Amino acid sequence: MKSWNKAVLSLLAASLLATAQPVFAEEAPAQKVEQQQTLPKEVQASLDKLLEAFPEMKKMGIRDQSYLPENDFQPAGWYFGFDSRPEQPVEGKFYGNGHVKIDESGLLRNMHLQLPEWAASEAPDHEKAKAHAQKFLEETLGEEKAKEYQISHVYSGSSSSMDDHGNSLSWTAAGVQFERLINGIPFHGDSIHIEVDSQGHIASYQRNEMKDIALDKFPSPSKAISSEEVHKIYREKMEMKLAYNGHQPVSSWMGATDKKVETKSVLKYEPNWAWQLNALTGEEATSWDHALRPKEQKINLNSQGKILTIQSEEEFRQVLKEEFDFDSMDLVFEQRVERHQPYADVEIINYELRPDYKRETSKRKSQSHAFASVNKNTGQVLHINLHSEKMTIPETKISEEDAVKTALEVLGQYAPTNVKEMIMMVQSFDQPPVPSWVDESRLPKEARIRQMPKEYHINFSELHQGIPVHDRSYHVTIDGATGQLTGFGIPSYAASKLPEGKPAISAEEAKDIYLEKHPLVLRYIWEEYMGQKAPAPQLVYQPQYPSHPSYLDALTGKVVESKE
């Protein structure tokens, strides 16, 4: 389980519009092919260098060595797996593991290490993390090649591992993102991410690189419209809206995984449009955001206030059957406790019913899944997710109108009775429109599987004095092919008192404050779609996101940054 701070998620949301390959995700898995174990000398030299630099890997030893053929996301290379687990592991003891991927030229593509002795709740200072990451980049690429990259962002994250008895270890690190410079401008399609822990260990390294780029196709920055002109265009397009948040973070939990976040009830301004502009024309730089923007609508509600509770396996199965007509008879039960809830003192129990993975796929009686998150103290269900064998991917699909109707029926059962008005946001995760530059005859046969599932995500936020309240939100997901409910969720903690008072600044004044905090900067993007690239890259203007999350307080007109 890994968590990222809000600034990273905002940057990621904008970045996903420019490319079909996620920024922070592991590259798409390649089929491992066992071959003769004689390594090319370039690969062997790089592996030897790593084993000397990381004696922990050398001590664990190589447990898995496989050849990775080339695919749409990575060049051909070699995979090396490391693991300290003995043939007869001691129950309750954590063991180290890791992996390394090196391409055929000897270039390190990916590395990850998770060792029990490196576990720590404290994250490193960002400046120290940047220094360690810069040094490792220079050692990996060479000093001259490393000069082609600059730090674009620093973020914090944590991961954890849990055994069958609920014992867990946590690792906290600062991540440093480097982007390649072309014509002195950062290029989103070539980035390197290095994670550093509080002891200075390099915990992971990942390189995301676009294949076969032609440098002469990159537009010259000298042709870009001026920052003053693009600022004016961007300002006209954006709209600042008011929103309440009863648990707005004003401190960062990333400094330590066991630390609670200090929150405050606030009224704030937020932009409803914050993507990117083509630096040569001033127009929106991508067609993807139109498909991704949710539709908003105000609704009136008359709810039953029904509360679902689960406090055992038997109750979980009973709720699934009686409330959702979900058959769990042949599924295996698991239960896990999630102790880390940084925003509130809520301890979560996760219940899961899944296929018996110890059986061969053909012998499993059911391929369905069910998952529920429950408040440990009250037993109230906070989130539930369902996947039934009945859900298929036929050519037909239900309409958005029918999906909304089902979602409103679900919400009408489980929302509190005192909630009368909500804002509804509908987002369809159907297949996005294929860009005009894509040769559809070259798309892989499995393209339908690799695309986004046909699913409607319908979110609801309570309204207070006509203004949405972020931390009083509900969501319902509907299978777009069958119309079945696939999930719903309610707020995970009690509503706090909202602040009173009128905004100290207007929405127009809020625009200027926001753009001063998030100035527009030049970047290159090159759109991809399932292994195909657009004919040429684009030079765009994007808002610059600070490393520390912040919000614009509407009652004071000031930007408030989270403190460590």
Side-chain angles (χ1 to χ4, degrees), residues 320-476:
L320 291 175
K321 184 64 176 177
E322 294 179 358
E323 296 288 331
F324 308 108
D325 191 27
F326 186 96
D327 185 4
S328 64
M329 184 178 297
D330 297 314
L331 300 178
V332 177
F333 175 76
E334 283 190 2
Q335 175 180 323
R336 299 186 303 277
V337 177
E338 174 58 62
R339 294 186 175 89
H340 181 55
Q341 295 293 318
Y343 296 102
D345 292 321
V346 179
E347 192 168 358
I348 303 296
I349 295 181
N350 294 322
Y351 296 104
E352 183 178 5
L353 286 160
R354 58 166 178 77
D356 186 355
Y357 297 126
K358 294 181 180 179
R359 294 185 180 183
E360 295 180 15
T361 303
S362 60
K363 295 181 180 179
R364 295 174 193 164
K365 295 182 179 181
S366 175
Q367 301 299 321
S368 300
H369 293 80
F371 177 88
S373 292
V374 175
N375 183 318
K376 182 180 178 181
N377 293 330
T378 66
Q380 184 174 11
V381 175
L382 304 174
H383 172 82
I384 200 158
N385 184 269
L386 308 171
H387 178 79
S388 170
E389 290 180 306
K390 300 175 184 177
M391 299 171 188
T392 57
I393 312 179
E395 292 302 320
T396 59
K397 71 172 186 176
I398 67 166
S399 67
E400 180 178 307
E401 182 180 359
D402 288 339
V404 168
K405 182 179 178 181
T406 302
L408 288 173
E409 290 174 354
V410 173
L411 187 71
Q413 292 186 66
Y414 303 111
T417 56
N418 64 329
V419 178
K420 302 300 181 184
E421 289 186 332
M422 283 190 169
I423 189 78
M424 178 178 68
M425 292 156 283
V426 182
Q427 193 164 9
S428 172
F429 280 76
D430 197 352
Q431 175 183 338
V434 178
S436 59
W437 43 264
V438 170
D439 181 353
E440 295 192 44
S441 66
R442 290 173 49 204
L443 291 176
K445 293 181 180 179
E446 68 274 17
R448 184 167 140 194
I449 298 175
R450 294 173 60 188
Q451 291 170 354
M452 296 178 181
K454 295 179 178 179
E455 195 168 54
Y456 289 97
H457 288 226
I458 305 171
N459 297 294
F460 303 86
S461 292
E462 294 183 22
L463 292 178
H464 177 71
Q465 297 180 351
I467 299 171
V469 185
H470 282 341
D471 59 330
R472 299 183 192 175
S473 61
Y474 308 74
H475 73 267
V476 180

Side-chain angles (χ1 to χ4, degrees), residues 64-127:
D64 182 13
Q65 179 173 313
S66 307
Y67 179 76
L68 300 173
E70 181 181 15
N71 64 19
D72 290 342
F73 300 97
Q74 64 181 12
W78 290 81
Y79 170 92
F80 304 93
F82 302 84
D83 199 323
S84 64
R85 183 181 296 272
E87 290 186 9
Q88 296 183 337
V90 177
E91 185 176 357
K93 182 176 180 179
F94 289 91
Y95 295 94
N97 65 83
H99 68 260
V100 168
K101 297 176 185 177
I102 301 173
D103 70 22
E104 291 182 314
S105 70
L107 185 66
L108 177 64
R109 311 298 303 195
N110 184 278
M111 182 189 77
H112 178 75
L113 277 175
Q114 187 163 287
L115 306 174
E117 57 268 32
W118 289 7
S121 63
E122 295 293 327
D125 174 80
H126 280 187
E127 292 304 314

Side-chain angles (χ1 to χ4, degrees), residues 247-253 260-264 342-343 563:
H247 296 81
Q248 175 69 38
V250 293
S251 69
S252 173
W253 70 272
K260 292 294 181 183
V261 171
E262 180 185 349
T263 64
K264 181 181 179 181
Y343 296 102
K563 55 188 177 182

Side-chain angles (χ1 to χ4, degrees), residues 23 64 184 200 305 308 353 497:
V23 179
D64 182 13
L308 288 181
L353 286 160
K497 184 178 179 181

Side-chain angles (χ1 to χ4, degrees), residues 53-61 81-85 93-99 111-121 159-161 168-172 197 199 201-204:
F54 295 90
E56 297 87 357
M57 276 196 289
K58 194 171 186 178
K59 184 178 179 181
M60 284 191 288
F82 302 84
D83 199 323
S84 64
R85 183 181 296 272
K93 182 176 180 179
F94 289 91
Y95 295 94
N97 65 83
H99 68 260
M111 182 189 77
H112 178 75
L113 277 175
Q114 187 163 287
L115 306 174
E117 57 268 32
W118 289 7
S121 63
S159 61
S160 62
S161 180
S168 65
L169 281 181
S170 295
W171 293 263
T172 305
D197 70 12
Q199 302 172 61
H201 299 128
I202 304 298
S204 74

